[in-house]
Amino acid sequence: MSKTFVRLTDKNNENRAALVSQLHTALSLRYGRDRDDHSEYVLHNDLLAMFTINGQKVGLISHQNPSQDPRELIDALMQRDCNVIVFTSISFQDVQKQIDKSIAKKGFRIIRSAPFWSSTFEFGYLEQVEVENIIDLLEILTEDNAPLKVHDENKAVQPEIPY
C-alpha cells in the first residue's frame, strides 16, 4: 500500500472546516476513533484524529489556526504510522507548496480533492455527498488486496465473474 496525502482544497478553503467536521463525525460513527494520544500537542482549535480503516491507520487534520505550524500536525500523524492523511488548511499557497515538498520527500503521493460545485447551491446536501465520496476514497486507499485494473485503450476490461 502506498502512503497517500489527501489535500481537501477549495477557493480560500471555504467551508473546509465544516466538511472536515462532518467527515470526522462520519468516520467516528462508522469506524470508531483511535485512542487520542496527541495530548502533548497544543492544537489551538485545530483537529487531529486517527482512525483504523481496513486495518490501516488514517489521520485527519483540520488546520484552522494560522499560529499553528501545520507541518507539526502532519509529523504527529506520520510518527504514528498513518498510511493515509486527510488534510485541510487555511495556510497560504507558499506554505502549502512547502508542505507538498516535505510530504513527497517522505514517500507520500498527493491527491488534491476539490468540490465541483458552488457553495451557494444546495451546499448542505452536496457536502454530505462529498463526505461519502471521501470515505469511499479512504476505503479504497486502505485496501491491501484490491485488484489492480489495467486500462488498455484497445480492449474493454471486464472483471472476471466466478461461477
Side-chain angles (χ1 to χ4, degrees):
M1 184 191 141
S2 59
K3 296 178 182 180
T4 307
F5 187 77
V6 180
R7 179 190 295 279
L8 304 177
T9 62
D10 198 357
K11 180 181 178 185
N12 297 324
N13 287 320
E14 291 175 354
N15 299 310
R16 296 288 90 185
L19 174 80
V20 171
S21 177
Q22 287 186 28
L23 180 60
H24 178 264
T25 300
L27 288 171
S28 295
L29 292 172
R30 192 172 294 181
Y31 300 105
R33 227 179 117 167
D34 286 6
R35 187 175 67 89
D36 186 6
D37 55 358
H38 307 104
S39 58
E40 68 269 21
Y41 294 96
V42 179
L43 293 178
H44 305 292
N45 297 323
D46 295 332
L47 172 68
L48 187 65
M50 285 183 11
F51 305 90
T52 301
I53 302 173
N54 292 325
Q56 305 291 325
K57 290 188 179 190
V58 175
L60 178 63
I61 299 171
S62 178
H63 175 248
Q64 300 301 316
N65 188 325
S67 67
Q68 178 85 44
D69 184 354
R71 290 170 288 207
E72 180 183 354
L73 302 174
I74 294 165
D75 286 341
L77 293 177
M78 285 182 177
Q79 290 171 7
R80 287 165 177 81
D81 298 322
C82 286
N83 292 315
V84 178
I85 296 175
V86 180
F87 175 82
T88 188
S89 176
I90 59 167
S91 296
F92 298 108
Q93 191 66 22
D94 58 333
V95 174
Q96 291 181 13
K97 288 179 183 177
Q98 291 173 2
I99 291 170
D100 287 352
K101 285 181 186 177
S102 172
I103 293 295
K105 285 181 184 176
K106 294 178 181 177
F108 280 73
R109 67 181 167 175
I110 300 170
I111 297 175
R112 289 171 184 82
S113 173
F116 54 88
W117 60 79
S118 165
S119 61
T120 60
F121 176 73
E122 294 293 327
F123 182 74
Y125 172 74
L126 294 173
E127 189 173 51
Q128 187 58 42
V129 170
E130 185 177 4
V131 166
E132 290 301 319
N133 287 341
I134 293 168
I135 291 173
D136 289 345
L137 175 65
L138 295 176
E139 289 175 348
I140 291 168
L141 291 172
T142 56
E143 289 177 350
D144 273 336
N145 298 320
L148 180 64
K149 293 183 181 178
V150 179
H151 175 71
D152 183 345
E153 293 178 17
N154 300 321
K155 293 187 227 175
V157 179
Q158 296 292 327
E160 289 185 33
I161 301 172
Y163 293 99

